[in-house]
Amino acid sequence: MTPTSPHAYRPDIDGLRAIAVLAVIAFHANAALMPGGFVGVDIFFVISGFLITGLIAKGMEEGNFSFVTFYTRRIKRIFPAYIVVALATLAVSSWLLIPNDYIFYTTSLAASFAFVSNVFFSMLSWGYFGQRTEEFPLLHTWSLSVEEQFYFIFPILLLFLYRHARKHLLPALFGLAILFVCISELKTGEVKSYFLLTTRAHELILGALTFFLARRFPVRSPAPANIMALLGMALMFGSLFLIHRNTPFPGVNSLYPTVGAALVIYAGQTDNAVSRLLMNRVMVAIGLISYSLYLWHWPIFSFLRYRKIDLDAGVVTAAVALSFLLAYVTWKFIEVPIRNSRSIGFKKAFLQIYLAPAMVFMSIGLYSFVTEGAPARFSDETRDLIASYSFERDLARSCSIRAEDYHKVSVEYLEKHCAFGDNSRPRAEVLLIGDSHANHFKPFIDQLSKAAGLKAVFHVQGGCFPTELQVTDPDPTKGPTTCQQRNADLLELVGSFKYVVLAGFWASEPERDLEKEMEHVVKHIVKAGAIPIIFKDNPYHEPDLSRCVLFKKRGWIPADSNCNIPYQYVQSTQSETDAVVERMQQRHPTVQIINPKLVMCDTVECATHIGNIALYKDENHINTKAAGLLGEQYVRKVGNPFGPRPLTGSDVAGKPFGPMVISTSKVPGAR
């Protein structure tokens, strides 16, 4: 049996595209359906590497390869459909997104046209599976940026190998693939690794290797083709169901789906059972529209999630149907005509299809950034409310860090990069450490510090309790983790400060021996001569009620909905950790306690808004404006722990949180 030419159209590859895009859609609709569906993107990378390498190789061998022609094809392939999707998401986002989210959206929009949206998303602390990423309409464009970055470099590399080391082309590509797999594996623990070219390049190179191997060592009989294709399908489908969001990825684990895809492509040059299945008309049809389908499905799901619409079976079915409809229309009337047009050369493609739209969208991104989210889109009353949903972003991550960013810091570093409060003071007397909850209490401490005339510094790491140390770990011989090392390093500095403030999402890890950890840290601070100040945590609630008051204002939920958190729920979730904090003060009289519930709760419920100011940005994090307001109220109504009156454990919730009109009717899920 004569193998199919590597340059010939392969309908089975369109069928493979269908598997990849359907897997991604299934995962985004409901991760429980296909826990590893996100690896569909990795399958796409292998397909892309195979096909694009074929085009480049053909041009080089025929002596007519042109970078101008190559990039003209890329522009005509990628941008027409994406421009349509970008315009649609811009229209919806301009109506739907509050300013802080609009800044994220328009910045990612601008970044996508600069081919760096993957870098933009890698700079955020959430990671691909992290906090609120499912509400970012253009999150999926990270993969487009990875591809385009690769294709700025790879044709040059391939041209060099063809001219100077053609006999060594395969070993060179193998070596590069292994190198980038190793880099990917080493970087897999870092949040940013999911997005970057350096941790994904091996997948595209694997596609290129598949092309050259298929040409040099073609499969000539059905038996080995069937074996390889079935093994490839097993690897892919095993990955789709056995890999999940907590699996270290990409790294070595990315080889399972990508090697599987490569085997299916390699075997598909000869007729086999799998290729016949993939060449089914329905599969091929889905594969043909897969690019537009990939572009459309994610914004639809993200907008639904942003509006807090439950993705039940009916909603998911409608969303998927709409995705298919828009994808078909885009493919039929945008993708195909422009891609096949002979009248569109490089100049026209570059100026009209890329540069002009890019300048427009980048200008919108700049306007949004300068105006802090284009708040003029809303009425004055709504604008005041929406403004409170803003939160601080530290893209530089110098003081609010991820694990991979950590390096040992000194007091001098903290005072130079991480100072707040009364900055007119020559030296800092307050040190704030903890996790993301410590970070959201920074404006609270800022108000207390300014009221007391004190300079403060902070150092926070998401997911890292300030009490987590190697010496109190259940297995102290295995550490230290980055978190444990950070805390140990910061504890060496506490003697340089008068006050050391500890804050954390204490109730988030009930399996932790919090009392043992906190006792060790408090003893160390007291021994160093500093005064420990411990935050009792703020109320939190699931489901998320943070936008309830905003949704009432915009008419999306009934006007009499109660957006507050039942105090009974707060007691049930936080009484144990609050008691641990109180016992610290009983054992160590210098310990002071800050209890934000004193200005957030009464005996019935805890506020999620004060007047026209929302307090939360998600189910457990307070937003920037609210944290400052609560700090002001705390000084006025309770006292300042940095002042003359020490605060004791008897300062418990039960006092009114101020003049508020609180509805007594219920919001679904609140009570």
Side-chain angles (χ1 to χ4, degrees), residues 395-658:
L395 295 183
R397 304 193 304 269
S398 54
C399 310
S400 177
I401 66 164
R402 301 190 300 218
E404 62 264 28
D405 300 319
Y406 181 65
H407 58 88
K408 190 170 184 176
V409 297
S410 62
V411 173
E412 291 73 23
Y413 176 92
L414 294 173
E415 290 189 334
K416 181 178 180 180
H417 299 282
C418 313
F420 63 107
D422 187 349
N423 279 308
S424 66
R425 300 293 177 174
R427 58 181 293 269
E429 295 188 73
V430 180
L431 170 64
L432 169 65
I433 58 175
D435 60 12
S436 60
H437 279 218
N439 193 45
H440 77 210
F441 279 129
K442 178 173 162 276
F444 190 112
I445 294 296
D446 185 56
Q447 293 298 323
L448 271 58
S449 299
K450 287 176 177 175
L454 300 177
K455 184 177 183 177
V457 294
F458 74 106
H459 200 277
V460 297
Q461 178 181 330
C464 177
F465 281 22
T467 59
E468 184 175 342
L469 291 162
Q470 183 182 7
V471 294
T472 54
D473 193 281
D475 184 6
T477 61
K478 69 179 182 181
T481 64
T482 303
C483 173
Q484 291 169 343
Q485 187 61 57
R486 180 196 79 115
N487 289 336
D489 292 343
L490 289 172
L491 280 179
E492 292 179 5
L493 308 179
V494 296
S496 300
F497 301 93
K498 182 176 181 180
Y499 301 100
V500 178
V501 184
L502 309 176
F505 190 5
W506 307 125
S508 63
E509 298 183 31
E511 71 282 357
R512 180 183 296 279
D513 191 344
L514 180 62
E515 187 153 4
K516 175 185 175 183
E517 294 180 359
M518 194 174 288
E519 176 72 18
H520 180 89
V521 171
V522 168
K523 278 185 177 179
H524 187 98
I525 295 171
V526 171
K527 187 176 180 180
I531 298 172
I533 298 180
I534 309 173
F535 263 95
K536 289 183 177 180
D537 206 7
N538 56 276
Y540 67 90
H541 193 270
E542 294 180 7
D544 183 4
L545 296 176
S546 62
R547 296 183 194 168
C548 178
V549 62
L550 174 63
F551 284 13
K552 278 203 304 182
K553 182 73 69 176
R554 303 190 73 179
W556 295 345
I557 60 175
D560 61 351
S561 297
N562 183 6
C563 295
N564 295 309
I565 303 171
Y567 188 63
Q568 185 177 3
Y569 177 87
V570 177
Q571 285 183 309
S572 68
T573 54
Q574 296 187 339
S575 59
E576 290 186 15
T577 55
D578 282 355
V580 170
V581 174
E582 290 172 13
R583 287 195 288 272
M584 292 301 109
Q585 189 176 61
Q586 292 167 7
R587 295 174 194 157
H588 307 278
T590 61
V591 168
Q592 298 191 41
I593 295 172
I594 296 177
N595 183 5
K597 290 185 277 289
L598 290 172
V599 289
M600 298 178 74
C601 306
D602 60 18
T603 56
V604 178
E605 57 191 1
C606 297
T608 61
H609 66 106
I610 295 178
N612 207 33
I613 297 176
L615 300 184
Y616 290 82
K617 66 185 179 74
D618 57 30
E619 69 273 6
N620 65 80
H621 291 93
I622 296 171
N623 65 57
T624 301
K625 186 173 184 178
L629 173 64
L630 293 172
E632 290 177 3
Q633 292 203 358
Y634 202 86
V635 171
R636 187 171 68 253
K637 296 183 178 182
V638 181
N640 193 338
F642 302 148
R645 187 178 83 84
L647 302 178
T648 68
S650 60
D651 290 321
V652 295
K655 302 176 183 178
F657 42 66

